[in-house]
Structures are given as structure tokens and as C-alpha cells.
Amino acid sequence: MKENLYQYILEIADNCLILGQRLGELCGHGPNLETDIACTNISLDLLGQVRSYYQYAAQVMEDGRTEDDIAFMRMEREYRNTLLVEQPNTDFAFIISRQFMFDLYHYLFLKELQHSRDLSLSAIASKSIKEVSYHLRFSSDWMKRLGDGTEESQRRMQAAINTLWPYFEELFEISDAGKALIKEGIAVDTKGLKKDYLNSAREYLQEANLIMPEVEHFMKGGKSGVHSEHMGYILADLQYMQRAYPNMNW
Amino acid sequence: MKENLYQYILEIADNCLILGQRLGELCGHGPNLETDIACTNISLDLLGQVRSYYQYAAQVMEDGRTEDDIAFMRMEREYRNTLLVEQPNTDFAFIISRQFMFDLYHYLFLKELQHSRDLSLSAIASKSIKEVSYHLRFSSDWMKRLGDGTEESQRRMQAAINTLWPYFEELFEISDAGKALIKEGIAVDTKGLKKDYLNSAREYLQEANLIMPEVEHFMKGGKSGVHSEHMGYILADLQYMQRAYPNMNW
């Protein structure tokens, strides 16, 4: 039970950590000042949520590990984020498409997590959903501006969506820990959410003059710790300070 | 004396380590198979030289540190490489220009280091110079092929040389450790080498249909440990395994 809850918290929080790290790489590199600050703010929101989750995870385990240990001292196979969030910042179309695909999921997911019987998780969900509804507004607005923009921006958005779409399904995959906790009313049963996600995504994409790709084979593995080639480089950057100065503090 | 010799060995070897790491990033990404293998081989040559230098440095210090400690466990400020070798693999023109600028220096430097009164250094120099003369042949051939190639390749080569040229002078900077060891006949007095370098580089560039840039302000700092923004990312990748698994062995 304790181990399942710990794993489940990681599944939620690691998506936020790795996407936050990816967005953080952009700090100072956005296409204009407003967007730069927006992406960095979203990164900070996600990392703030990560702290709440990891603090709770540390409390669940009761073995002295801290939020920093959980964030920085795990090996690659122990991270439970989906492959989507580790995909690189190829161009702004990729950044926005990745963000939109995650935000829509994140919003629908937190809406349900608010009703979790685990009061810590439902409290974090209620607090986070306000931020995430803003993230979704930001990314879906940009989907429309660029998808329904110039020929060039439309072409690049469609290319990004085509490349990233095979990664959406893993968001809804249910792990063994998830299965056990759904029975207890703690975890979200994402099976039902997938239909909502597809319906909603289709509307957003249509409005953005983009075609939802038809994909037969989906990419997965991250949730069970089998990551893409990008993950090692992300962790090398992310973990460097704690690895170089173990147990450092501000 | 011991400390000076240690620092001087690092000044030589760290250039090879960081350039070797930069070239290693290209493994599998070269423009064609032959060039890919050539760049990877040059990387391996440089890392082989690094091992000889660091083994000797560890022996000089006699305090139990190993070649791996020296390679992987230092902090950024303790690396003594020049800023040139940490510049990124922007495109193949940058890779070749950086390599040519370093190889020409490296060749002239090792030719002198062979006469060092320190027998270990002179032995490493004599062994390495054969490899380095091949490196110089490879990079200067590509300078000519691309500089004297198409309009596009010429433009890109000139852009690379213009960007990198401000970094050449640091190669000839003499540190305090260097100064002390020149007096003992151990270190190379690079003051005399700079004229040879400029004369030779001018000939190569002319033959490659490229213009030697006129630069008033040169970039330096790496040799005294003050690196560019790229260095932290290089070290995060380079050191990750030893940082994550301290004292690991194959």
C-alpha cells in the first residue's frame, strides 16, 4: 500500500518535474519576452507542484528521504514520467504542442484527482488545477495562433503534432500501483478520461486548423522507467549540483 | 614545484579532454560515415593522450588521487582548458575550424614539448605528435575543401572562422605555473610559437580561400578556470557516471 502510493505520486509528479526542467531550459531563449516569461512561469508552477507531491511522498515513506533525494538522487529507471514530457525543445511549435498535449491531460486528470479519497492528493489537485487551467489557456491559444497563422507556422505546428501524437496515449496508461489504488478510490481511473481527452483535443485542433494524426502504434515505456535517449541528458543537467555536492543546501 | 608541474600538466591535458568530449558528442552524427569515424578517432586519440597526462599528474601529486579523479571529480573552476575547445558543435564548419585552430597549435606545441627537460612530458609529446600531425592533415584538408568549395560552404567556413578566431590567442597565454617551469626548461615558451602559428595559419587560410579575421579583443579565461556558459553542460555530461556512482569501475 505504502509502496503503491509512493509509486503513484511519482507517476504524477515526475511528469511535472521533467516538463518543468524542459521548460526551464528555455529561460531566456523564448521567441519574445512575454512568451519567455510565460514558459518560465509555467515551469515554476510545475516545480511548485512537484515539491508538494515529493514532500508528501517523503512523508509516506517515513524513512528519512527528503524531497531533494526524490527529485535528484534517483537513477534513470526510477523516474516514472511519460515519454512525452522528455521530448526535446525542437522548435516553438514542438514546445507548444507538447505543452498543449500535456496541459489538456493534466487539467482533466486533476479535475478527477480532486475527488481522491487521499486528502493530501485531493488538496494538491485543488490547489494546482487553477494554475493548470491557465497553462491550458496559454498553450491552446498558441495552438490556434500558430496553427491558424501563416503557411509556415501551420506547417510547423502540424509537423510537431504529427511527431508528438504517438506519445499521448501513455498519459492514460494505468500502472499496477494505479490499478491497486483505483480500487481504493485514491487513484484516478484514466480509462474514462481518454475519450474526453480525444473529443476535446479534436475540437481544439480543428479550431487551430490542424489535423489530428491517425496513429496505429503508440510510444510508451517512461511510466515503467524505460525512457528515451533524451532522459540521460536531462538527468545529467538536473542532478548535477546534488551529484557534485551531495546533500547541499541553499 | 610539484604544484606548478601538476597545474601545467592540466593546462595541456584539459584541452585534449574537453575537445575529445566535444568530438565524442558527434559520434554517429557526422555528415558521412568516413568523417564520423575520423572525428571519433581523433576524439579517442585525444582521450588516450589525456590518460597519459593524468596518470603522470597523479604520480606527481603522490596523494592517492587517480587519473579518474582528475578527469571526473574536479569542479568547473579547476579545469584549465582554453575557451576555444569548449565552443559548441554549431555546424560542421565550426567543428572543422575549431579543430584546425587547435591542431595547428597542438602540433607546434608538441614539437617543442619533445625537448622538455621533463622526460615524462617529452615522451608523451613524442608519442602524441604522430597522431596530431594526422589530425592537422585531416582538419586542414577539410578547411580547403569547404573554404574553397561552394559559395555556401565558403560562407559558412568564413562565418565559423570569424566567430572562433578571437579564441586562438588564449592558446599561447602563459600561466604562472608555465612561467616558473619555462625557467627550468620543462614548459614550452609559447611566446615564440605564436608568430609561427600566425604565419602558418595565414598560409592555410589563404589556400582555403578564407580571410584571417582582424581581431582587437581576444577571449580568455579558461586557462585560469573562468569558463564560458558551455562548460557546465559539458561537465554535467562528462562527469555524470562518476558523480552518480562514485569510484565506479568498468
Side-chain angles (χ1 to χ4, degrees), chain B residues 101 107 126 132 185 215 239:
Chain B
M101 287 170 62
Y107 179 76
S126 301
V132 172
V215 175
Q239 298 186 340

PDB file of all heavy atoms in Angstrom, chain B residues 101 107 126 132 185 215 239:
ATOM      1  N   MET B 101      42.141  25.147 -35.802  1.00  0.00           N
ATOM      2  CA  MET B 101      42.811  26.128 -34.940  1.00  0.00           C
ATOM      3  C   MET B 101      43.550  25.446 -33.794  1.00  0.00           C
ATOM      4  O   MET B 101      44.644  25.843 -33.422  1.00  0.00           O
ATOM      5  CB  MET B 101      41.795  27.148 -34.401  1.00  0.00           C
ATOM      6  CG  MET B 101      41.329  28.141 -35.462  1.00  0.00           C
ATOM      7  SD  MET B 101      39.921  29.160 -34.906  1.00  0.00           S
ATOM      8  CE  MET B 101      40.686  30.013 -33.504  1.00  0.00           C
ATOM      9  N   TYR B 107      50.149  20.877 -32.703  1.00  0.00           N
ATOM     10  CA  TYR B 107      51.307  20.339 -33.408  1.00  0.00           C
ATOM     11  C   TYR B 107      52.573  21.143 -33.088  1.00  0.00           C
ATOM     12  O   TYR B 107      53.616  20.570 -32.711  1.00  0.00           O
ATOM     13  CB  TYR B 107      51.035  20.343 -34.918  1.00  0.00           C
ATOM     14  CG  TYR B 107      52.193  19.815 -35.717  1.00  0.00           C
ATOM     15  CD1 TYR B 107      52.450  18.445 -35.776  1.00  0.00           C
ATOM     16  CD2 TYR B 107      53.048  20.682 -36.397  1.00  0.00           C
ATOM     17  CE1 TYR B 107      53.526  17.951 -36.493  1.00  0.00           C
ATOM     18  CE2 TYR B 107      54.126  20.195 -37.110  1.00  0.00           C
ATOM     19  CZ  TYR B 107      54.364  18.826 -37.152  1.00  0.00           C
ATOM     20  OH  TYR B 107      55.436  18.344 -37.851  1.00  0.00           O
ATOM     21  N   SER B 126      56.420  13.065 -27.766  1.00  0.00           N
ATOM     22  CA  SER B 126      56.945  12.335 -28.927  1.00  0.00           C
ATOM     23  C   SER B 126      55.950  11.301 -29.428  1.00  0.00           C
ATOM     24  O   SER B 126      55.823  11.062 -30.628  1.00  0.00           O
ATOM     25  CB  SER B 126      58.252  11.624 -28.565  1.00  0.00           C
ATOM     26  OG  SER B 126      59.187  12.564 -28.130  1.00  0.00           O
ATOM     27  N   VAL B 132      48.861  13.776 -33.809  1.00  0.00           N
ATOM     28  CA  VAL B 132      48.411  15.157 -34.009  1.00  0.00           C
ATOM     29  C   VAL B 132      48.745  15.650 -35.418  1.00  0.00           C
ATOM     30  O   VAL B 132      48.009  16.452 -35.991  1.00  0.00           O
ATOM     31  CB  VAL B 132      48.988  16.072 -32.908  1.00  0.00           C
ATOM     32  CG1 VAL B 132      48.701  17.532 -33.205  1.00  0.00           C
ATOM     33  CG2 VAL B 132      48.407  15.676 -31.552  1.00  0.00           C
ATOM     34  N   GLY B 185      63.291  24.859 -17.976  1.00  0.00           N
ATOM     35  CA  GLY B 185      63.424  24.081 -19.216  1.00  0.00           C
ATOM     36  C   GLY B 185      62.391  22.982 -19.337  1.00  0.00           C
ATOM     37  O   GLY B 185      62.541  22.062 -20.145  1.00  0.00           O
ATOM     38  N   VAL B 215      41.240  40.884 -35.369  1.00  0.00           N
ATOM     39  CA  VAL B 215      40.560  40.893 -34.075  1.00  0.00           C
ATOM     40  C   VAL B 215      41.308  41.816 -33.132  1.00  0.00           C
ATOM     41  O   VAL B 215      42.533  41.757 -33.049  1.00  0.00           O
ATOM     42  CB  VAL B 215      40.512  39.463 -33.487  1.00  0.00           C
ATOM     43  CG1 VAL B 215      39.927  39.465 -32.092  1.00  0.00           C
ATOM     44  CG2 VAL B 215      39.694  38.557 -34.403  1.00  0.00           C
ATOM     45  N   GLN B 239      30.809  14.147 -16.384  1.00  0.00           N
ATOM     46  CA  GLN B 239      31.032  13.636 -15.031  1.00  0.00           C
ATOM     47  C   GLN B 239      29.898  12.755 -14.527  1.00  0.00           C
ATOM     48  O   GLN B 239      30.008  12.183 -13.441  1.00  0.00           O
ATOM     49  CB  GLN B 239      31.215  14.816 -14.063  1.00  0.00           C
ATOM     50  CG  GLN B 239      32.420  15.687 -14.376  1.00  0.00           C
ATOM     51  CD  GLN B 239      32.646  16.749 -13.312  1.00  0.00           C
ATOM     52  OE1 GLN B 239      31.737  17.085 -12.561  1.00  0.00           O
ATOM     53  NE2 GLN B 239      33.859  17.274 -13.246  1.00  0.00           N
TER      54      GLN B 239
END
